[in-house]
Amino acid sequence: MRSGGPTVAGWLLGALAMAACTALSGFDKLLFDVPAGAGGAAAASQASSNVNVSSGSGGMGAGGTSTTATSTPQSSSAGGGQPTCPGEAVQCVNDWLTADKGLSNITDIVGSPQYLYIAAGSAIYRAAFQANPTLELIAGSSQSGYADGPGAIARFTSLAGLATDGLGTLWAADAGSFTIRSIDLANAGFKVSTLAGNATESAHTDGSGGPGGTARLKKPTALALDDPQGPHVLLYLIDGNWIRTVNGSGGAVASLAGQDAAGAQDNAVGSMASFNGPVELFATTSTVYIADQGNYRIRAMATAAPYGVANFCGSVKALSDGKCLNNGYMMGPAGLVGTPGGMALTDVDSTTNAVRTIVNGALATIAGQKKNVHVVGIGNEAGIPKPGALYYRSFNGDASHELYIVENGTQIRRMVLP
């Protein structure tokens, strides 16, 4: 059904009413409103698991040591007849930034046309989209803390989500210091500033931004830009069981939907809706999609007041492909990213390590396997232990597509998409 008007009932029935599968056709606009991803650098040749590490200059990066991966091409088949995959085979899940680079606790990745930005513990790195990527520290260090300033002296306590406009600004949710930080990518030094929150107080208070502002954050985690094709005025933020916004320049904070207590209230607006441990989100012009891990589903929230919330996909805890509101189920959605015509997500629990997509209202598994084993391979022949954050990228004039997948918090895999 289509929306009959701006009223609450009209919005719930039209824009996000999915009580029956027959209502899915009303979501064509939402599904195709998803960002197409960053364009930019030429396709990266795929690296394999054979990596040599060397130290070198951090270049323009702040205070950093850079490490370079040297790749050995994968063969097209392995012993026992089990196929691996050459780097550009469709649905090949290969190695890109490997575990011996020394990263740990990778919580999020986002990209610009040239770089993938990586939040890991209390530091932010970047790696160019190329063969043999060099890992460059741009802000923070292995020593946690709280300090603004040039990247070399800035400190983060416990990084969670990232967002970037792909041009001159990177935003980071520092969950351990209850703040949103901005990093200047346009000028040398990668200056870090506090945009919202106060490092001395964990609380839920809407208000003004900046170091002396009145806004307070409780546990900020995932971030997403408002309109991926627009001026990037707002950041959407997961803060506990709330969805909030942060002004991307001034830092003013407002709460849109959710409650302090965990819940699963759908077909509700604002503070009447509830979530249970949301972990990731992305936005289109009209809708914010939220990975509600504790409720085993993807939720949808309107970007316009009164911020109605409804179930988009999933219900019970199970691993099943199918129509989202029929028999398409999830075990524990973790990473979530928009793709042309839909979205990709990681689905994780103690027995499941899957990469899945939602397109035209249908949930499908495209990579991974149940056992917790690292395997280079095509689609479900690949093994991706504990897949987490995702980044979708298109390049070559939108003719080539790939998905970057955090594995086990220690490395990043690359999957070639059709």
Side-chain angles (χ1 to χ4, degrees):
M1 299 183 216
R2 304 282 178 177
S3 176
T7 65
V8 175
W11 181 86
L12 289 171
L13 292 173
L16 283 175
M18 295 188 68
C21 289
T22 55
L24 288 172
S25 61
F27 283 75
D28 292 347
K29 174 63 170 68
L30 301 187
L31 287 170
F32 287 92
D33 195 21
V34 176
S45 298
Q46 188 59 43
S48 80
S49 57
N50 297 318
V51 177
N52 297 318
V53 178
S54 60
S55 296
S57 170
M60 199 177 158
T65 298
S66 60
T67 53
T68 303
T70 303
S71 65
T72 300
Q74 284 285 340
S75 62
S76 59
S77 62
Q82 294 297 317
T84 60
C85 50
E88 303 310 314
V90 173
Q91 287 195 294
C92 172
V93 181
N94 220 318
D95 297 327
W96 188 68
L97 197 69
T98 50
D100 56 5
K101 308 302 286 182
L103 293 183
S104 61
N105 194 26
I106 301 174
T107 52
D108 204 9
I109 52 176
V110 295
S112 68
Q114 187 177 0
Y115 295 105
L116 186 72
Y117 294 92
I118 304 160
S122 54
I124 298 175
Y125 303 83
R126 71 181 183 182
F129 291 114
Q130 61 184 32
N132 308 326
T134 296
L135 185 65
E136 180 185 3
L137 174 67
I138 66 169
S141 75
S142 59
Q143 180 183 358
S144 66
Y146 172 78
D148 286 339
I153 64 172
R155 293 293 179 266
F156 304 97
T157 305
S158 180
L159 289 163
L162 295 175
T164 182
D165 57 10
L167 300 172
T169 306
L170 178 72
W171 294 275
D174 190 352
S177 67
F178 330 120
T179 56
I180 304 299
R181 319 284 288 279
S182 65
I183 299 93
D184 181 1
L185 302 177
N187 298 291
F190 304 110
K191 182 181 178 181
V192 176
S193 305
T194 297
L195 178 66
N198 187 300
T200 66
E201 184 179 5
S202 172
H204 183 115
T205 306
D206 292 345
S208 58
T214 58
R216 296 292 182 268
L217 308 175
K218 204 162 191 178
K219 190 178 181 182
T221 52
L223 288 171
L225 286 174
D226 54 348
D227 179 359
Q229 305 303 322
H232 313 307
V233 175
L234 290 176
L235 294 163
Y236 290 98
L237 164 70
I238 293 176
D239 189 10
N241 289 312
W242 283 88
I243 308 301
R244 308 177 76 183
T245 56
V246 181
N247 184 284
S249 56
V253 177
S255 300
L256 305 186
Q259 305 173 14
D260 289 339
Q265 184 60 55
D266 276 324
N267 300 331
V269 298
S271 60
M272 292 184 287
S274 57
F275 303 90
N276 184 8
V279 292
E280 188 58 279
L281 76 172
F282 76 93
T284 71
T285 54
S286 58
T287 309
V288 180
Y289 295 94
I290 303 140
D292 192 355
Q293 191 172 71
N295 286 320
Y296 324 116
R297 63 190 70 182
I298 305 299
R299 312 281 290 283
M301 183 193 79
T303 58
Y307 309 112
V309 176
N311 187 23
F312 183 76
C313 193
S315 57
V316 299
K317 184 177 183 179
L319 183 64
S320 174
D321 290 347
K323 286 292 184 181
C324 273
L325 296 182
N326 184 4
N327 57 352
Y329 302 133
M330 294 167 243
M331 298 294 286
L336 183 68
V337 68
T339 63
M343 63 194 74
L345 62 117
T346 52
D347 196 3
V348 187
D349 81 339
S350 59
T351 61
T352 302
N353 301 278
V355 179
R356 312 180 76 184
T357 60
I358 301 174
V359 178
N360 294 329
L363 178 64
T365 303
I366 62 168
Q369 54 191 14
K370 289 188 175 182
K371 56 186 179 179
N372 198 31
V373 178
H374 177 102
V375 179
V376 171
I378 293 176
N380 289 329
E381 295 167 349
I384 314 169
K386 295 181 176 61
L390 296 169
Y391 176 68
Y392 165 80
R393 178 176 180 249
S394 66
F395 54 102
N396 288 342
D398 207 30
S400 302
H401 311 269
E402 57 193 16
L403 194 64
Y404 289 83
I405 308 160
V406 173
E407 175 182 304
N408 204 29
T410 60
Q411 60 187 302
I412 298 171
R413 310 286 296 276
R414 173 180 176 264
M415 180 178 185
V416 180
L417 299 177

